[in-house]
Every structure is written in C-alpha cells, then in structure tokens.
Amino acid sequence: MNNIKHKLGVFVLLLSLAFFSACTADDLDPTLAQAKSVEGSINSVNNLYGILKGTHNILSGSGYYGRDIIATNEVRSDNCFSNANSGRFSTQGEFLYNNNTGFIWDNAYQVIANANIIINIDLTELTGDQNYGKHLQGQALILRALAHFDLLRTYGQQHDAKSGTLGVPLVTTFKGDDLSPSRNSIDEVKTGIYSDLQSAYSMMNSSFDTSKVFISKNAAKALESRVGIYFGDWVKAKDAALAVINTGSYTIAASNSFVSNWNSAEAANSIFELAYSGSDNLSSNSLPYIYRFPGDAPSGYGDLEVVSTLSNLFEATDVRGENGGNGILGYQDSGNRLRNMGKYPETATGSSNIPLMRYEEIILNYAEALFRINPADANALTYLNMIPNNRGASAYATATEANILLERRKELMFEGFRFDDMMRTGQDVVVIGASQNVKSTLTYPNNLFVYPIPVAETNANSNMKQNEGY
C-alpha cells in the first residue's frame, strides 16, 4: 500500500479519548493509546473536537512545528548555523540531506488525514450544535491548508534548478480510492490551499474562537496572506492581511513588552500559537533547547548558533538586538557565542508557547503587498514603519524591497521565515560549516533548495516522482 495512504489509514484510527474536555494549554495532549475504528466512532460534534485536538498535537511535536520545521528553515538561511554541538541540524544546515530523510512528510500528511475526517463528515448525522460543527470543519480546513502549504514549500519544485512544476499530492479524502496518488502541480496545490482557506473563513463563526491555542477564523486570512506573499499573489496577500487588520483584535507589541511577550501565553499580538506547559512539553527535544544551552556553560544541545554578523543589523536601542543585554540576541559561553536568547525562552522544560501567526507578520505582509502592487503607495511605508516604531529602531525613509526584506529578517528571525523569504526572492545561499566557516555558495535556483521525497514513499508508490538530484 502507498505510504501516504497507509499513514492516513492507520494514524487516525487512534482517536483521542479527550472528546469532552475543555480547550486549555494543558489538554492539548490527547491520549492516543486506545485504537478505535473511525466508522461508527463519530456520533457527536464533540467527537470532532477530540480529533481536532489530536491534530493540534501533531503540529506541536518536535518533528513538526515544535522544533524541526522552524529550526531547519533557520539553519538553512543566513541567520543561523549548526555548530554540531550534539550533531543536530548539521545535515540540514550544510544541505547534505538525502531521500532517507523523512522530515515533515509523515507528520504533515497525518494532520491532513485527521482534518479530512472532520471536513468530510456529514454533520446532520451527528448530535450536538451544528453551527459549532461547521466551525470545527472550518478549523480543519485551515489546518489542511497549512499542512499542504508546508509540504509544498518544502518538497515542491518551485525553487529547483530545472524549474519543475511538480508540487505534492493534494489529499482531500480519508482512505480514498486512489492508493497510489501522483504529485499534483504546484498551481493545483496552491489553488487547493486558497480554496480551503476561503471556505473556512466563510463557514466559521468567531464567537467560537475563545483561545489562541486553537486555530481561529482570523487565522484563515492570516495564512492566506502568508501564502499570497510566498507565491507573489499580491492582491490576495493585501486583501487577506487587511481583513485581519480590520478586525481590530490584535496589536503590535510595544518595545517595552516585545521581549516579555515571548514568555507569555496568548499575548495581544498573537493570532495562533502552540501550547506547552510545565507538564506538557518537549523538554530536551524542544525548540528552546536547540537554540541555547540551559546554562551559560556549553552543557546542552544549543546547535543552532546565530551568525555573528546578525547583531550588526540592529541599533543599540532595538529590543530585537542585544539592547544592553535585555534584547532578543545575547551571548553564552563567556560571551563567545551569539544566541537567540529571547524567543521561546523557557529552556529548562521547553514550556514556552510557540506563536505560529502573529500580528507583526500580517503588518509586514500588508506593507509588502502594497509596495509590490504600487511602489509609490505611501501606505506601504506607513505600515512598514509600524514595526521599527515599536522596537526602539529608526524609521525607514522609503519603502523598498531591500528595506522590507531587512525588516522581515529582523522582526521574524528564528521563527522559520527567513529561508522562504530568500527563496521567493531568488537569493543565493551561503553554506556555513560548524566553525562558522563558509563552505560554499549555492546559487539560485538549485535542486538542494528542495527536499527529497522520502524513499519510503517512492518505494511504495510507483507514481511518486522524485525531485531532481536524489
């Protein structure tokens, strides 16, 4: 049986037992120990809620947004390098991965599998609030769109040397008839992502959005703006970002609260975040643990070290820089190693929440979309400067591509955006070794900018074409 379909058929048979518990940070760890048949198990809208909780739990695992996808996209950029302290992320940072590397493939398709159960259920056959059921289906559509987008930006051929057109399999049914799916085109997957997000937004009711640790109606537009920026669909990006802005539900973090927000749950600038706690965390497999040592001495993982020149981008008063020891950037190992000290700060247990969508990204998306549509639009500069104006940094005199990308790099560093920004703007990548030495320069486009389809998938499915060079 094809590996995708095997994963989709088996994983979601393990349904959450936590169907009726409330949505809190502590309960996003559903029990998956008792297998149940999907058929006949779902008879209530609350059962869909349980599956949705399990889907969020997959996102929060170390093999997905809990660490790997964010760390991989930072270590492949000009923000970070792997110092090989524990041997983690050296392969990714030096672009030495091969088709034995599964990366996010299985996890993303597990998210899609769970989402498809919720999306395709007939609500009229379930007990419970039908409007709430529609809202849950909308949430599942957003998560399916997010997973397809993650797969597409990782495995799609939009940045390879041959200018390929293959994306990833677009899976919209659970246990469907096609057991050997081919890869859909990039455009087909993109169309599917937009369709899911627009459908979700139209069917969801914001009154059911009571916590930022669950995907929300506004997250549909936030993600749509992100996808639009990535693919250069500027009008879509502009309109989606403006829809979030016009809600008035979020605020840009002020300079005096920006750093502390990273140690707070559900801050005013957060749209959607993954929940962790003292009792429910990834411990040494967490994102904080890979960014810094637990103490000042080199006694932990800390493989993702910050490129030393990154600090030169910041003014002394910018809270995202060193800021006199009170900013995001800081040093460990007797001042010899530049680190991400402020984002995801709880290293001992990894209990810091991980914001996946925050308002500052939406402001930058809107500024860039305005500029790309009309470089003379004065609002592009106005919105661009909303970020440095709240960071203790100087405002820009003009809105340019260089200034927009620079501000995105400063504001979104260590959150997994930089590699994608480099790819979508056609930048070469300098490969940095464990001693912060330059090993090579990869020119854009390049087959190494595209992850290989896992060998388990290509072996199981004769219709699955591998990416160039693997």
Side-chain angles (χ1 to χ4, degrees), residues 201-403:
Y201 190 77
S202 66
M203 68 194 297
M204 293 174 71
N205 187 329
S206 293
S207 66
F208 292 116
D209 292 325
T210 58
S211 173
K212 294 179 179 181
V213 301
F214 254 50
I215 202 78
S216 66
K217 177 170 180 161
N218 289 336
K221 289 299 179 184
L223 181 55
E224 186 177 348
S225 79
R226 181 183 295 179
V227 176
I229 289 294
Y230 182 84
F231 284 108
D233 297 326
W234 306 118
V235 174
K236 284 184 182 293
K238 174 183 72 69
D239 291 346
L242 185 60
V244 178
I245 293 168
N246 284 342
T247 66
S249 300
Y250 312 99
T251 57
I252 297 171
S255 59
N256 61 359
S257 63
F258 179 69
V259 176
S260 61
N261 268 4
W262 290 95
N263 204 27
S264 303
E266 304 190 55
N269 65 335
S270 174
I271 299 172
F272 171 53
E273 60 192 57
L274 298 178
Y276 301 89
S277 68
S279 60
D280 179 14
N281 60 72
L282 299 174
S283 188
S284 61
N285 289 323
S286 68
L287 190 58
Y289 209 80
I290 208 69
Y291 269 126
R292 67 192 70 89
F293 295 122
D296 190 53
S299 57
Y301 293 162
D303 294 69
L304 260 65
E305 193 170 330
V306 178
V307 174
S308 60
T309 54
L310 189 64
S311 62
N312 298 335
L313 301 181
F314 300 95
E315 299 166 84
T317 56
D318 193 327
V319 295
R320 298 167 299 186
E322 297 175 44
N323 191 33
N326 298 308
I328 295 297
L329 290 178
Y331 288 88
Q332 289 188 309
D333 192 19
S334 301
N336 293 317
R337 298 180 186 271
L338 187 63
R339 293 284 187 188
N340 161 26
M341 297 299 292
K343 293 185 178 181
Y344 330 110
E346 181 47 61
T347 307
T349 62
S351 59
S352 298
N353 281 8
I354 297 179
L356 297 192
M357 301 175 191
R358 58 185 182 92
Y359 191 52
E360 290 86 351
E361 179 204 348
I362 305 307
I363 295 296
L364 290 169
N365 289 352
Y366 188 59
E368 181 171 358
L370 291 175
F371 170 78
R372 301 287 188 178
I373 293 168
N374 178 11
D377 190 334
N379 283 324
L381 180 61
T382 298
Y383 276 85
L384 173 62
N385 278 331
M386 287 181 181
I387 305 302
N389 288 346
N390 284 280
R391 297 291 177 266
S394 299
Y396 294 94
T398 58
T400 64
E401 179 185 84
N403 286 344

Side-chain angles (χ1 to χ4, degrees), residues 22-87:
C23 174
T24 67
D26 286 334
D27 71 9
L28 289 179
D29 185 18
T31 301
L32 299 176
Q34 181 174 334
K36 294 183 178 181
S37 172
V38 172
E39 296 79 8
S41 305
I42 302 172
N43 49 46
S44 159
V45 167
N46 283 330
N47 295 158
L48 302 184
Y49 167 71
I51 299 171
L52 192 71
K53 285 175 60 178
T55 311
H56 283 76
N57 194 60
I58 301 166
L59 285 178
S60 65
S62 63
Y64 205 171
Y65 275 105
R67 185 188 66 187
D68 287 1
I69 193 168
I70 293 175
T72 296
N73 278 359
E74 288 298 318
V75 80
R76 292 192 293 172
S77 78
D78 49 4
N79 285 345
C80 298
F81 67 98
S82 174
N83 59 28
N85 183 63
S86 70

Side-chain angles (χ1 to χ4, degrees), residues 4-225:
I4 288 178
K5 291 298 180 181
H6 178 72
K7 289 292 182 183
L8 301 195
V10 173
F11 181 82
V12 293
L13 294 179
L14 307 176
L15 297 181
S16 169
L17 296 178
F19 286 145
F20 303 103
S21 56
C23 174
T24 67
D26 286 334
D27 71 9
L28 289 179
D29 185 18
T31 301
L32 299 176
Q34 181 174 334
K36 294 183 178 181
S37 172
V38 172
E39 296 79 8
S41 305
I42 302 172
N43 49 46
S44 159
V45 167
N46 283 330
N47 295 158
L48 302 184
Y49 167 71
I51 299 171
L52 192 71
K53 285 175 60 178
T55 311
H56 283 76
N57 194 60
I58 301 166
L59 285 178
S60 65
S62 63
Y64 205 171
Y65 275 105
R67 185 188 66 187
D68 287 1
I69 193 168
I70 293 175
T72 296
N73 278 359
E74 288 298 318
V75 80
R76 292 192 293 172
S77 78
D78 49 4
N79 285 345
C80 298
F81 67 98
S82 174
N83 59 28
N85 183 63
S86 70
R88 289 168 171 80
F89 294 99
S90 293
T91 298
Q92 295 90 326
E94 297 183 18
F95 294 81
L96 297 175
Y97 36 77
N98 56 46
N99 62 0
N100 289 310
T101 304
F103 194 27
I104 66 163
W105 184 271
D106 287 349
N107 288 325
Y109 276 113
Q110 287 169 356
V111 166
I112 292 167
N114 277 19
N116 282 337
I117 294 175
I118 299 170
I119 292 164
N120 295 312
I121 201 78
D122 184 352
L123 291 177
T124 63
E125 296 182 357
L126 306 183
T127 61
D129 187 337
Q130 297 287 294
N131 289 327
Y132 180 47
K134 287 180 63 177
H135 186 80
L136 293 173
Q137 287 184 321
Q139 290 177 293
L141 282 166
I142 301 172
L143 294 179
R144 185 171 77 178
L146 176 62
H148 276 129
F149 177 55
D150 291 338
L151 288 161
L152 184 57
R153 64 192 177 101
T154 302
Y155 301 98
Q157 295 180 338
Q158 56 269 23
H159 305 300
D160 75 5
K162 299 294 185 181
S163 299
T165 61
L166 292 180
V168 294
L170 184 66
V171 180
T172 58
T173 58
F174 170 63
K175 293 167 58 176
D177 295 331
D178 185 4
L179 299 181
S180 299
S182 300
R183 297 172 68 176
N184 291 85
S185 71
I186 294 167
D187 284 343
E188 287 171 338
V189 181
K190 183 175 70 168
T191 297
I193 292 168
Y194 282 136
S195 177
D196 279 355
L197 294 175
Q198 290 157 8
S199 296
Y201 190 77
S202 66
M203 68 194 297
M204 293 174 71
N205 187 329
S206 293
S207 66
F208 292 116
D209 292 325
T210 58
S211 173
K212 294 179 179 181
V213 301
F214 254 50
I215 202 78
S216 66
K217 177 170 180 161
N218 289 336
K221 289 299 179 184
L223 181 55
E224 186 177 348
S225 79

